[in-house]
Amino acid sequence: MGAWGYLPFENDDALDWLEELEAGGADVVRKALAKAGDRYVEAPDGAVALAAAEITSASQGNPLGDLPENVTDWVTAHGPEITAEDVEMALEAVERVAGEQSELAELWDDADEPEWRESLDDLSERLRTALR
């Protein structure tokens, strides 16, 4: 796992995906969230889904503090395209990536880094706030 931190944009998979994000609108986020589908979630797909969930939260006015500049620019340009249904999809994606059928969850649990799970709890709460 090419990660240097537990936050959504602190890994190679998410940063590589940002290039795709810059080239598209909300559909790119939706496709990334769908990568955490009803099956075993491989680590790269989980990392991308978490980045997309973070962008979804930021698009609803609940960002994680400092976002990469290109993410902030995307949210400014395309954030209004993100719907309540997308927020629900993002919340489900976070739950799947945090679940038992997730390689990323296995890797972080093996690393004994509780901050990762805490960051997912925070992201889930920010997404729930957007649904209220």
Side-chain angles (χ1 to χ4, degrees):
M1 167 171 66
W4 53 92
Y6 58 88
L7 295 174
F9 301 105
E10 295 180 339
N11 65 79
D12 293 333
D13 295 313
L15 292 185
D16 289 345
W17 174 74
L18 289 181
E19 292 177 22
E20 183 180 338
L21 175 73
E22 290 177 23
D27 284 339
V28 176
V29 172
R30 292 179 188 116
K31 287 178 188 173
L33 293 171
K35 289 181 183 250
D38 293 331
R39 57 174 170 56
Y40 184 80
V41 182
E42 301 289 338
D45 291 341
V48 168
L50 291 179
E54 187 58 58
I55 289 169
T56 301
S57 181
S59 295
Q60 302 301 302
N62 298 311
L64 169 78
D66 291 337
L67 294 172
E69 184 177 340
N70 52 347
V71 171
T72 302
D73 292 344
W74 188 94
V75 168
T76 300
H78 300 283
E81 299 171 27
I82 300 295
T83 66
E85 290 80 22
D86 297 326
V87 175
E88 290 173 4
M89 189 175 179
L91 189 55
E92 290 172 11
V94 172
E95 290 170 358
R96 280 191 225 106
V97 173
E100 292 181 11
Q101 294 294 311
S102 168
E103 182 181 23
L104 202 55
E106 291 171 10
L107 292 169
W108 280 107
D109 288 347
D110 288 347
D112 196 28
E113 295 285 343
E115 294 89 355
W116 183 75
R117 289 219 175 259
E118 292 167 8
S119 73
L120 297 188
D121 291 344
D122 175 67
L123 176 54
S124 293
E125 184 55 36
R126 287 184 285 116
L127 288 165
R128 283 187 199 95
T129 298
L131 291 173
R132 292 182 190 135

